[in-house]
Amino acid sequence: MATIAAVIASTHHPFYYRASTSTGADRPPFADEWVAKITAFRETLTRSRPDVLVMVGSDHFHQMWLDNMPQFLVGKAPFYDANYYNEEREFGLPRMLVRGEEDLSAYLLRQGLDAGFDLAFSNELRIDHSVTCPLITLRPECDLPIVPVYTNIFAPPLPQPKRFVELGKAIRAIVESWPSDERVAIIGTGHLSLELGGPRQFGPHGPDPEFDRQAVGWIASGDLESALAQVSLESLWLPGNATHGFMDFMLMMGVAGENVKADYVDSLDLFHTMEAYFTWYPEAAR
Amino acid sequence: MSKYLLDKFLFTIDRDPELVERYRADPRGTVEWWEAQRANVILNLPEIERSTWLRFTDEEREALATHDYVRLFELGAHHFLTLTLFIALFERDYDEPLGFQREYARRLSHFSLPYPDIST
């Protein structure tokens, strides 16, 4: 059976690539600290020696559209082209090409369907910055095959937070039962409090630092009970109008396991959102 | 009310570099052309299989034709689509980094929770 080498959850910030690669007067004052934190975070994946990456993210109205919107979708393709013209335009993100691990995609789809998750699939998926940002931060070589898993945190009606957690638990169990000798890292990215296209956007820090403090505590301690008790589809509007991306963190809490403390926790209070980085090593706990 | 069509306009303009420039230079003309020619095209179907029923309300058409992102927010256009497209349209006119994004926030500052519903 496959081994879960690491479980990693983080925010995905599309400004990182440009901030980290800019020089001279173009380099923002926060870039060096950010790069140092990302470099340390990257090491938490590297040391787990993964062979395959399951990447949980959310399409930002690129390939998924309102005429045909999946709630949860698994990519099953030998390759994934990545990043879009509007991400190149706004964030300076490069075009990328990533290999796919089709056997694990097929296994995740079959087992997921049989476990009661009516997963959509795509045989030609162009992935966006929700998947490429963590590749850039955690595995910039992009040398490992991936299985992308997309969630709808964007276009109401959304699945309930509880469903994200259940899917996370199912992904963990399915990957652990995959008949393979490979070491799999499961990586997912979402948001803490975030406002985009609303009056609280791009402030001096995230729109709701108290939510962020609480959320980091839930994730770091695996406190699914508190998170599920205090988070609802309605409540997530309060910390910021893009905060439903927190449900991808809740999915990853499901992957990591109830009350399982993260082995690595870090955060960075950027000017308009809090960055947060978590790694668990399930193998070490065995 | 046709929030879906507002979103479809924002989505299809945003993904096409030529249409972004055309909408910046001639908002009213672009909206009128788009409503007549593109509004009913289903995006993953051949054009002969188009819809027959989609049109803007007068206030939606006017909001798009005047680049009025405050009104679009009020009408329930998806905040992410509006922001992304309008950054492409107007960020270039501001000297400070994030200058447009902060102006955008200021112009929306009279809204309080709950924000207009974006459900389609």
Side-chain angles (χ1 to χ4, degrees), chain A residues 118-278:
Chain A
D118 296 330
L119 301 169
F121 65 92
S122 173
N123 293 146
E124 187 179 7
L125 184 66
R126 187 175 187 96
I127 52 182
D128 80 1
H129 75 263
S130 67
V131 172
T132 59
C133 286
L135 285 173
I136 287 166
T137 53
L138 291 162
R139 194 78 179 188
E141 310 91 313
C142 289
D143 57 339
L144 301 178
I146 72 165
V147 174
V149 178
Y150 266 163
T151 68
N152 175 19
I153 49 103
F154 232 59
L158 308 178
Q160 294 287 349
K162 187 176 172 217
R163 191 65 172 159
F164 282 74
V165 173
E166 288 167 350
L167 180 60
K169 289 178 177 175
I171 290 172
R172 166 75 178 261
I174 293 167
V175 173
E176 282 180 331
S177 71
W178 182 37
S180 162
D181 296 331
E182 305 275 61
R183 297 173 59 81
V184 182
I186 306 176
I187 299 170
T189 67
H191 294 292
L192 300 176
S193 72
L194 181 64
E195 176 110 336
L196 293 172
R200 294 173 289 172
Q201 70 180 3
F202 295 100
H205 46 68
D208 191 340
E210 174 54 26
F211 176 85
D212 295 344
R213 191 193 60 73
Q214 207 172 24
V216 167
W218 293 332
I219 301 165
S221 61
D223 188 357
L224 273 169
E225 190 180 347
S226 296
L228 282 168
Q230 293 180 57
V231 167
S232 68
L233 290 174
E234 295 71 33
S235 78
L236 284 172
W237 291 109
L238 306 178
N241 67 355
T243 311
H244 289 86
F246 182 65
M247 293 195 293
D248 283 335
F249 269 120
M250 295 183 75
L251 187 155
M252 294 310 300
M253 290 171 72
V255 175
E258 181 123 32
N259 297 321
V260 178
K261 287 186 173 43
D263 295 294
Y264 180 90
V265 179
D266 198 9
S267 62
L268 174 63
D269 198 5
L270 272 182
F271 52 94
H272 72 114
T273 178
M274 177 174 268
E275 288 282 278
Y277 313 116
F278 306 87

Side-chain angles (χ1 to χ4, degrees), chain A residues 15 60-62 65-68 85-86 89-90 154 156 195-202 237-238 241 271, chain B residues 4 7-8 11 14-15 17 20 43 73 78-81 83-84 87-88 98 101-102 104-105 108 115:
Chain A
F15 289 2
H60 295 68
F61 283 135
H62 284 124
W65 177 238
L66 299 171
D67 63 1
N68 198 358
Y85 142 69
N86 68 357
R89 180 186 76 201
E90 189 174 344
F154 232 59
E195 176 110 336
L196 293 172
R200 294 173 289 172
Q201 70 180 3
F202 295 100
W237 291 109
L238 306 178
N241 67 355
F271 52 94
Chain B
Y4 167 70
D7 288 348
K8 187 176 178 180
F11 174 67
D14 179 68
R15 63 196 341 220
V20 169
L43 297 180
F73 186 84
H78 198 290
H79 45 84
F80 184 85
L81 291 168
L83 176 66
T84 303
I87 286 174
L98 300 175
Q101 288 88 330
R102 292 193 172 116
Y104 192 122
L108 291 173
Y115 295 161

Side-chain angles (χ1 to χ4, degrees), chain B residues 18-87:
Chain B
E18 287 178 23
L19 290 181
V20 169
E21 293 311 312
R22 183 168 166 184
Y23 182 49
R24 175 179 157 97
D26 177 18
R28 188 171 298 277
T30 306
V31 171
E32 287 171 359
W33 162 81
W34 189 89
E35 187 173 9
Q37 302 293 325
R38 307 304 300 169
N40 279 284
V41 175
I42 299 176
L43 297 180
N44 67 347
L45 289 182
E47 289 196 26
I48 53 165
E49 315 293 3
R50 56 176 53 216
S51 300
T52 55
W53 51 273
L54 290 154
R55 67 190 306 269
F56 292 123
T57 65
D58 290 345
E59 60 180 0
E60 290 167 343
R61 191 179 303 110
E62 192 61 19
L64 290 173
T66 54
H67 285 156
D68 188 347
Y69 56 85
V70 178
R71 187 81 179 117
L72 291 172
F73 186 84
E74 194 177 345
L75 291 170
H78 198 290
H79 45 84
F80 184 85
L81 291 168
T82 313
L83 176 66
T84 303
L85 175 58
F86 277 74
I87 286 174

Side-chain angles (χ1 to χ4, degrees), chain A residues 81-94:
Chain A
D81 283 286
N83 291 335
Y84 287 78
Y85 142 69
N86 68 357
E87 297 172 309
E88 204 170 12
R89 180 186 76 201
E90 189 174 344
F91 311 127
L93 289 174

